Amino acid sequence: MTPVERAQLAMVLEVTAYPKPGNVDRCHDYEGTRLEHFLASSILARPALEKAAGGEEGIGEVLREAVRLTTAHGGGNTHFGAFILLIPLLRGGDIPGAIRAVQGTTVEDAVNFYQAFSLTKVRMLPGDPLDVADPRALEVILERRMTLLDVMDHSKEHDMVAREWVNGFSLTRKAADLLHECGCGRKGVVDAFLRLLAASTDTFIVKEHGPLVAEEVRRRAGEILDGMGDLAAFDADCIARGINPGSIADIIIGAIYIALGEGWEWDCSRKE
Amino acid sequence: MTPVERAQLAMVLEVTAYPKPGNVDRCHDYEGTRLEHFLASSILARPALEKAAGGEEGIGEVLREAVRLTTAHGGGNTHFGAFILLIPLLRGGDIPGAIRAVQGTTVEDAVNFYQAFSLTKVRMLPGDPLDVADPRALEVILERRMTLLDVMDHSKEHDMVAREWVNGFSLTRKAADLLHECGCGRKGVVDAFLRLLAASTDTFIVKEHGPLVAEEVRRRAGEILDGMGDLAAFDADCIARGINPGSIADIIIGAIYIALGEGWEWDCSRKE
């Protein structure tokens, strides 16, 4: 399996794993964003993933290309956060390589990233001078000579995906270790997802619903791991309230990419 | 979208469409063959699909490569029948081109096809001199100087996928027309699937369960279209009995590939 195939497989394995509280999974869609949008995005992103692995174009340019290829459908943002992790991981091959890759980003990468961002409906914090909805954000980047790593550093408090760039992809590493611990296939993905969700506050939920809801989700994931809650009911409640741990899902995608490269087995039937 | 991406999207859209009586779909797995096997196969087949579109290697060689790439997992045969249709469709670009492509196949293509066949668990008819389980089958092909089109012609009575090669891909064409009639997205795929199933006896069911069961499935699909049956109950009954209209599924994959190229819309949200 090539690194690009590992990245594509990571995207389809994450989205089809179930039951996953709140997210699109094999059993649930959101009204505007459905399973098919994620699967199509996994297929259509390939030329950008190849460029990420190839090492020619800048990371920001590749990110813009990935978003351009995958927002042609009507399902809105599907894998934007996942691309922010997968593209440096593909460029570097592994986590140490990805750390070097993000350290090498430039102001041009930051500008391309903002152009990619504006193709999505992902929002930053209101009032943030780098808010993508604010046309002055690009001016700020150019004035301050911010690299893409600087932009991620700016966003790290409020965005756990951006934080991966500045903390050595530590949650990605942790989630890959969880996959190795939790075992093969679909059940391994779901168990690792729940354990990461119980250990970390999802910043996407914080942005959408505030810190109290994010803390509630983290606590309830922990209760399920402790045998004190019903996963199906938790999932149904999250779906009904539109609570979507999307950043944890992004990190799980990066983690599956890493774990597959380390021998984690997606196909339990090969072990039988 | 490139032709190869259309082929990959056809594979994932077919397998995730539901409810589809008897087959692996978004809601059902078979014990040894699960949704993930089909999705992985759609991703891992790509180098062979590129060769199919590229026009260098023979069709039999490309088929062997596709099977080799996609039987690495433990899920058994996933897309063998689909490849038999998609590879000439990719080589020719459309149905007239595919007809020319299969007419140009050689004895070497037939030999490669048999080597691909032996990697799968697909069976031909017991007692058939071309039965892949019989080591003399290759000798027969070489003695009779059979091209791959001759092999398909030999199999046409008992295999509706092989029959497509000798009848101008007529069911693939019909199913693509059904997709245009049935409309966009998942519901369009399911409706076209049911209409094809009601109109044609699935030869895979005949091989596995005999003609009476195949006829029962055809009749019940028609009853559902006439509003006289319950699709979920029909699906559950097929799954419980291991009745799997796998050849109709293969033809639907070829049809989605064709229909996508003619403007059929997989993403209904773009029309909203």
Side-chain angles (χ1 to χ4, degrees), chain A residues 1 4-5 8-9 12-13 16-18 24-29 32 34-37 39-47 50 69 72-75 185-186 266-270 272, chain B residues 1 4-5 8-9 12-13 16-18 24-29 32 34-37 39-47 50 69 72-75 185-186 266-270 272:
Chain A
M1 201 183 303
V4 170
E5 288 166 349
Q8 292 186 287
L9 196 55
V12 306
L13 294 176
T16 49
Y18 69 94
V24 170
D25 64 16
R26 183 161 168 180
C27 307
H28 296 106
D29 294 314
R34 298 190 303 280
L35 179 65
E36 289 87 343
H37 290 120
L39 297 176
S41 168
S42 308
I43 289 170
L44 299 177
R46 199 192 56 80
E50 295 282 359
L69 289 167
H73 62 62
R186 181 192 300 168
W266 67 270
D267 180 8
C268 297
S269 61
R270 272 200 288 215
E272 281 160 8
Chain B
M1 203 183 302
V4 170
E5 288 166 350
Q8 291 185 288
L9 196 56
V12 306
L13 293 176
T16 49
Y18 70 94
V24 170
D25 63 17
R26 183 161 169 180
C27 307
H28 296 105
D29 293 314
R34 298 190 303 279
L35 178 65
E36 288 87 343
H37 290 120
L39 297 176
S41 169
S42 308
I43 288 170
L44 300 176
R46 200 192 56 80
E50 295 281 359
L69 289 168
H73 61 62
R186 182 192 299 167
W266 67 271
D267 180 8
C268 297
S269 60
R270 271 200 289 214
E272 281 160 9

Side-chain angles (χ1 to χ4, degrees), chain A residues 2-262:
Chain A
T2 66
V4 170
E5 288 166 349
R6 271 163 49 206
Q8 292 186 287
L9 196 55
M11 289 190 272
V12 306
L13 294 176
E14 188 285 321
V15 77
T16 49
Y18 69 94
K20 253 180 3 229
N23 284 330
V24 170
D25 64 16
R26 183 161 168 180
C27 307
H28 296 106
D29 294 314
Y30 278 104
E31 197 178 323
T33 310
R34 298 190 303 280
L35 179 65
E36 289 87 343
H37 290 120
F38 284 87
L39 297 176
S41 168
S42 308
I43 289 170
L44 299 177
R46 199 192 56 80
L49 301 176
E50 295 282 359
K51 285 180 186 171
E56 295 284 329
E57 296 83 357
I59 282 182
E61 185 181 337
V62 174
L63 198 51
R64 193 182 58 187
E65 171 80 352
V67 172
R68 189 186 64 75
L69 289 167
T70 57
T71 48
H73 62 62
N77 171 49
T78 42
H79 285 121
F80 184 60
F83 294 142
I84 292 175
L85 299 174
L86 285 174
I87 288 169
L89 288 169
L90 281 163
R91 178 59 54 92
D94 56 11
I95 287 177
I99 293 169
R100 286 191 297 276
V102 301
Q103 284 168 347
T105 57
T106 63
V107 178
E108 192 188 346
D109 287 317
V111 170
N112 280 317
F113 170 79
Y114 265 76
Q115 291 171 346
F117 215 156
S118 65
L119 295 171
T120 73
K121 290 168 190 161
V122 181
R123 46 178 194 156
M124 296 186 74
L125 290 178
D128 189 315
L130 296 180
D131 189 332
V132 72
D134 187 331
R136 287 167 304 180
L138 266 180
E139 286 173 40
V140 173
I141 286 177
L142 291 169
E143 268 171 32
R144 300 187 192 172
R145 305 294 304 154
M146 292 173 81
T147 69
L148 186 46
L149 181 58
D150 294 332
V151 172
M152 297 295 178
D153 188 60
H154 171 87
S155 306
K156 68 174 184 285
E157 267 189 64
H158 306 292
D159 187 323
M160 70 202 303
V161 173
R163 200 183 300 153
E164 289 296 279
W165 275 46
V166 291
N167 70 6
F169 293 83
S170 68
L171 277 188
T172 306
R173 179 66 264 163
K174 176 178 176 174
D177 292 339
L178 287 172
L179 284 166
H180 291 302
E181 285 171 35
C182 293
C184 61
R186 181 192 300 168
K187 188 172 181 309
V189 174
V190 170
D191 289 351
F193 186 96
L194 274 178
R195 286 174 64 177
L196 192 65
L197 189 62
S200 316
T201 303
D202 188 292
T203 52
F204 188 74
I205 301 179
V206 175
K207 273 186 227 173
E208 299 284 319
H209 299 275
L212 289 180
V213 172
E215 174 56 22
E216 176 200 338
V217 169
R218 199 196 59 69
R219 179 181 51 75
R220 286 177 73 180
E223 286 170 2
I224 284 163
L225 289 172
D226 293 339
M228 290 189 304
D230 177 56
L231 180 52
F234 179 33
D235 185 14
D237 185 41
C238 286
I239 292 278
R241 293 161 66 190
I243 299 170
N244 173 6
S247 292
I248 296 283
D250 295 332
I251 288 168
I252 290 289
I253 291 174
I256 297 174
Y257 166 84
I258 290 294
L260 282 170
E262 294 168 342

Side-chain angles (χ1 to χ4, degrees), chain B residues 111-237:
Chain B
V111 170
N112 280 317
F113 170 79
Y114 265 75
Q115 291 171 346
F117 216 156
S118 65
L119 296 172
T120 74
K121 290 168 191 160
V122 181
R123 45 178 194 159
M124 295 186 76
L125 289 179
D128 189 315
L130 296 181
D131 189 333
V132 72
D134 187 333
R136 286 166 306 179
L138 266 180
E139 287 173 37
V140 173
I141 285 177
L142 291 169
E143 269 170 34
R144 300 187 191 170
R145 305 291 305 152
M146 292 173 80
T147 69
L148 186 46
L149 181 59
D150 294 331
V151 172
M152 297 296 178
D153 187 60
H154 171 87
S155 306
K156 68 174 183 285
E157 268 189 62
H158 306 292
D159 187 323
M160 70 202 303
V161 173
R163 200 182 300 152
E164 289 296 281
W165 275 46
V166 291
N167 71 5
F169 294 82
S170 68
L171 277 187
T172 305
R173 179 67 263 164
K174 176 178 175 173
D177 292 338
L178 286 173
L179 283 165
H180 292 301
E181 284 171 34
C182 292
C184 61
R186 182 192 299 167
K187 188 172 181 309
V189 174
V190 170
D191 289 350
F193 187 97
L194 274 178
R195 286 174 65 176
L196 192 66
L197 189 61
S200 317
T201 303
D202 188 292
T203 53
F204 187 75
I205 301 179
V206 175
K207 274 186 227 174
E208 298 285 318
H209 299 275
L212 290 179
V213 172
E215 174 56 22
E216 176 200 336
V217 169
R218 200 196 57 69
R219 179 180 52 73
R220 287 178 72 179
E223 286 170 3
I224 283 162
L225 290 172
D226 293 339
M228 289 187 306
D230 176 58
L231 179 52
F234 179 33
D235 184 16
D237 185 41

Side-chain angles (χ1 to χ4, degrees), chain B residues 59-124:
Chain B
I59 282 181
E61 186 182 337
V62 175
L63 198 50
R64 191 181 60 186
E65 172 79 351
V67 171
R68 188 185 66 74
L69 289 168
T70 57
T71 49
H73 61 62
N77 171 49
T78 43
H79 285 121
F80 184 60
F83 294 142
I84 293 175
L85 299 174
L86 285 174
I87 288 169
L89 288 169
L90 281 163
R91 179 58 54 93
D94 55 13
I95 287 177
I99 294 169
R100 288 191 296 276
V102 301
Q103 284 168 348
T105 58
T106 63
V107 177
E108 192 188 347
D109 287 316
V111 170
N112 280 317
F113 170 79
Y114 265 75
Q115 291 171 346
F117 216 156
S118 65
L119 296 172
T120 74
K121 290 168 191 160
V122 181
R123 45 178 194 159
M124 295 186 76

